[in-house]
Amino acid sequence: MSESRLDLPNIDTTLFQPPDTARLLAPERAGHAPRFLLLYGSLRERSYSRLATEEAARILRALGGETRMFNPSGLPLVDDAPSDHPKVQELHALTQWAEGMVWCSPERHGAMTGLMKTQIDWIPLSVGAVRPTQGKTLAVMQISGGSQSFNAVNQMRVLGRWMRMLTIPNQSSVAKAWQEFDEAGRMKPSAYYDRIVDVMEELMKFTLLTRDAAPYLVDRYSERKESAEALSKRMRQEVI
């Protein structure tokens, strides 16, 4: 045992593991297209967050990804319906299917919309032993009716960290969104559009880089220790 490890009396040395570069850098690679779930935060007929999300989905598909968008219409408020509500179950299934996510919200009263927060609040941190969002990639985007702002994306970054997601560095904030889309709902050429392309490229790269190593990336000493203690306790009970 090295001198440095001898100076860590609080650590269980049987569970303390140096990084395994083989598991980190050369995991078995999946052959399917990266899977992305996209959420938007407005139910207006001409919802600019939805239109921007549709553009993001088109870019991800062009980059080789598979995309699904969740329609939040009919999703109940959290605690106002049971978790077996059909829309809640649909959202849960899509979350578990996805390897990466895009969250796009309008900024309303200086914050993300309640609809956006409701969708995120319905996503559980854990389902039994499975954490549906842990280790998955996330890109955040926002739409503003006025000048450019970053309040909504900043809030969503906090939530992404809370959900144990890998939120990519780049982000998109579209100002005066009503000027940025044509009558057909397609985004016009602009620096804002180019930024969405940048963000989706980055999301794709981070997803390809991390999706196969995600279980190892989020493997934690504290959880290995907890699991070992639970196993030891169960074994003692079986002996009794």
Side-chain angles (χ1 to χ4, degrees), residues 124-136 164 218 220 223:
L125 285 174
S126 63
V127 179
V130 177
R131 291 194 173 97
T133 56
Q134 178 173 257
K136 296 181 179 182
R164 299 182 175 183
V218 297
R220 297 179 176 84
E223 294 180 353

Side-chain angles (χ1 to χ4, degrees), residues 149-162:
S149 175
F150 301 95
N151 291 327
V153 288
N154 288 339
Q155 290 178 327
M156 289 187 286
R157 283 188 176 279
V158 171
L159 289 171
R161 182 171 68 246
W162 185 258

Side-chain angles (χ1 to χ4, degrees), residues 57-165:
R58 292 184 185 101
I59 296 164
L60 286 171
R61 290 194 296 272
L63 291 169
E66 181 180 356
T67 65
R68 297 182 185 176
M69 289 178 59
F70 176 71
N71 180 355
S73 180
L75 182 70
L77 294 174
V78 176
D79 299 329
D80 197 37
S83 60
D84 61 358
H85 186 283
K87 290 297 292 187
V88 176
Q89 288 296 298
E90 179 188 354
L91 179 58
H92 286 186
L94 288 171
T95 301
Q96 296 194 51
W97 167 84
E99 296 167 326
M101 298 179 70
V102 177
W103 297 349
C104 181
S105 177
E107 180 169 323
R108 186 169 294 162
H109 299 314
M112 78 178 78
T113 60
L115 179 64
M116 193 76 226
K117 185 63 162 58
T118 294
Q119 293 176 82
I120 297 168
D121 284 347
W122 269 120
I123 299 173
L125 285 174
S126 63
V127 179
V130 177
R131 291 194 173 97
T133 56
Q134 178 173 257
K136 296 181 179 182
T137 53
L138 171 66
V140 293
M141 301 165 49
Q142 79 164 71
I143 296 297
S144 300
S147 59
Q148 191 173 41
S149 175
F150 301 95
N151 291 327
V153 288
N154 288 339
Q155 290 178 327
M156 289 187 286
R157 283 188 176 279
V158 171
L159 289 171
R161 182 171 68 246
W162 185 258
M163 304 294 283
R164 299 182 175 183
M165 302 184 76

Side-chain angles (χ1 to χ4, degrees), residues 39-56 58 69 71-72 104 106 143 181 185:
L39 306 180
Y40 56 92
S42 169
L43 295 177
R44 295 171 58 189
E45 182 177 354
R46 187 171 169 84
S47 164
Y48 294 113
S49 65
R50 176 178 55 79
L51 295 178
T53 301
E54 289 173 349
E55 292 291 352
R58 292 184 185 101
M69 289 178 59
N71 180 355
C104 181
I143 296 297
F181 295 85

